[in-house]
Amino acid sequence: MNTKEAIYCRKSFRSYSEELLKPEILQDIEKAIQGAKPLYPHIRFGWEIIGTDKVKCVQNWRATHYIAMFTEEVDGARENLGFIFQQVELYMQSKGIGTCWLGLGKLNAGREILEKHSGMECVMMMGFGIPEGEEYRKEVDEFKRRALSEISDMEDGRLECARLAPSAVNSQPWFFVHDNETIHVYCITKYLIHKVLGKMNKIDMGIALAHIYEENKETFEFFKTENPKEIKGHYYIGSIKI
Ligand SMILES: Cc1cc2nc3c(=O)[nH]c(=O)nc-3n(C[C@H](O)[C@H](O)[C@H](O)COP(=O)(O)O)c2cc1C
């Protein structure tokens, strides 16, 4: 399976074998992170691959490995993290490695890790490992997602990849507005769930953009327009050409 195909069958895995991934697999994941395209190349970010001993989480499932994601807190930082690490998520899923984004995780790391990433905050984690007893989705119908007509001002099949993207609590905060060749990308704020999730939804926006990038690697352009149209209950993230 390749990363594009992974978009249409991936899922969040919450059950893992206790067996650790081999060091060479972890090195390949490091390489996938280093090779991922950023949304904002100027924004400083960092990561650490850690074990369960360095993660505190109230949830009743544990992965065998985690990526702790660090970023400086500037405009676009969380969209950038979502964009980068969703490319890594698709890479792992395409190789049969289970993953799950983990907004509820807290880093319990020593001074060494914190000093290495000084000036940045650990704002998100992703659990991963060898999945146990769970399978990839076989049909697109197995994704619980809003219809294409609900996430865009026009039904555009090119946005199917974004429609299927994972998001915090499956909140799907994205809305797309067409303007000739350009598609303007907005984050929804009008519903309570989006108000509660706030910054987490910025990560989701980067994730959906990563799916569009994976489907359109050769042509994908992301940019900001000067006077984006205001839409009530939404804020502007950026614009794309694909
Ligand atoms: C930014 C983000 C944070 C998430 N945090 C958690 C979490 O803390 N715990 C959890 O079990 N799932 C978490 N998820 C997984 C979502 O619940 C999941 O992606 C969504 O329900 C859609 O399901 P799917 O990924 O299987 O398609 C998170 C997903 C994203 C994108």
Side-chain angles (χ1 to χ4, degrees), residues 10-240:
R10 61 152 298 287
K11 59 174 278 182
S12 293
F13 287 88
R14 296 187 180 85
S15 185
Y16 294 91
S17 152
E18 282 178 15
E19 193 185 331
L20 293 175
L21 288 165
K22 296 196 172 67
E24 53 271 29
I25 306 272
L26 295 177
Q27 274 166 22
D28 287 345
I29 294 168
E30 290 274 358
K31 279 189 209 148
I33 301 172
Q34 285 158 9
K37 180 185 167 74
L39 195 59
Y40 292 105
H42 66 278
I43 299 181
R44 197 174 148 232
F45 75 99
W47 71 91
E48 208 64 48
I49 294 184
I50 53 178
T52 29
D53 57 316
K54 294 199 168 54
V55 179
K56 277 195 207 158
C57 185
V58 291
Q59 296 214 289
N60 60 357
W61 63 269
R62 293 282 178 276
T64 29
H65 307 270
Y66 294 83
I67 303 174
M69 304 167 199
F70 296 80
T71 184
E72 56 176 342
E73 286 278 15
V74 292
D75 271 358
R78 285 163 203 255
E79 293 92 317
N80 194 46
L81 272 196
F83 190 76
I84 291 167
F85 285 96
Q86 185 59 18
Q87 292 169 59
V88 178
E89 200 246 27
L90 291 173
Y91 167 78
M92 289 199 272
Q93 296 248 356
S94 75
K95 299 287 177 204
I97 300 168
T99 66
C100 189
W101 284 88
L102 184 64
L104 290 174
K106 291 268 169 292
L107 182 65
N108 184 25
R111 196 192 296 170
E112 201 186 323
I113 289 183
L114 297 179
E115 278 177 1
K116 183 172 159 194
H117 301 285
S118 72
M120 298 192 279
E121 291 289 319
C122 174
V123 299
M124 184 52 63
M125 290 192 186
M126 186 187 290
F128 66 98
I130 300 168
E132 196 165 63
E134 291 186 63
E135 287 176 20
Y136 288 96
R137 291 178 168 123
K138 292 186 184 67
E139 308 280 343
V140 162
D141 292 355
E142 292 174 35
F143 284 82
K144 291 195 180 105
R145 299 291 192 269
R146 293 194 287 139
L148 261 187
S149 56
E150 293 174 68
I151 65 163
S152 170
D153 64 342
M154 62 161 82
E155 211 162 305
D156 178 352
R158 297 174 303 165
L159 297 174
E160 174 71 354
C161 53
R163 185 181 81 84
L164 300 179
S167 53
V169 209
N170 207 20
S171 52
Q172 308 166 66
W174 35 77
F175 191 72
F176 300 93
V177 176
H178 293 73
D179 176 7
N180 296 315
E181 294 301 297
T182 301
I183 303 174
H184 303 298
V185 183
Y186 289 84
C187 184
I188 304 171
T189 53
K190 62 182 167 182
Y191 302 117
L192 180 63
I193 177 101
H194 302 118
K195 289 193 174 81
V196 172
L197 289 168
K199 290 178 179 173
M200 194 93 81
N201 277 162
K202 290 176 185 272
I203 299 212
D204 299 332
M205 295 306 299
I207 291 174
L209 286 168
H211 278 204
I212 299 174
Y213 166 64
E214 285 289 342
E215 271 292 2
N216 304 276
K217 270 198 171 152
E218 304 306 322
T219 49
F220 180 90
E221 281 176 55
F222 175 78
F223 53 94
K224 298 260 191 190
T225 55
E226 291 246 319
N227 291 307
K229 188 173 142 193
E230 280 188 26
I231 305 183
K232 201 168 171 228
H234 299 69
Y235 66 88
Y236 176 71
I237 293 286
S239 302
I240 53 170

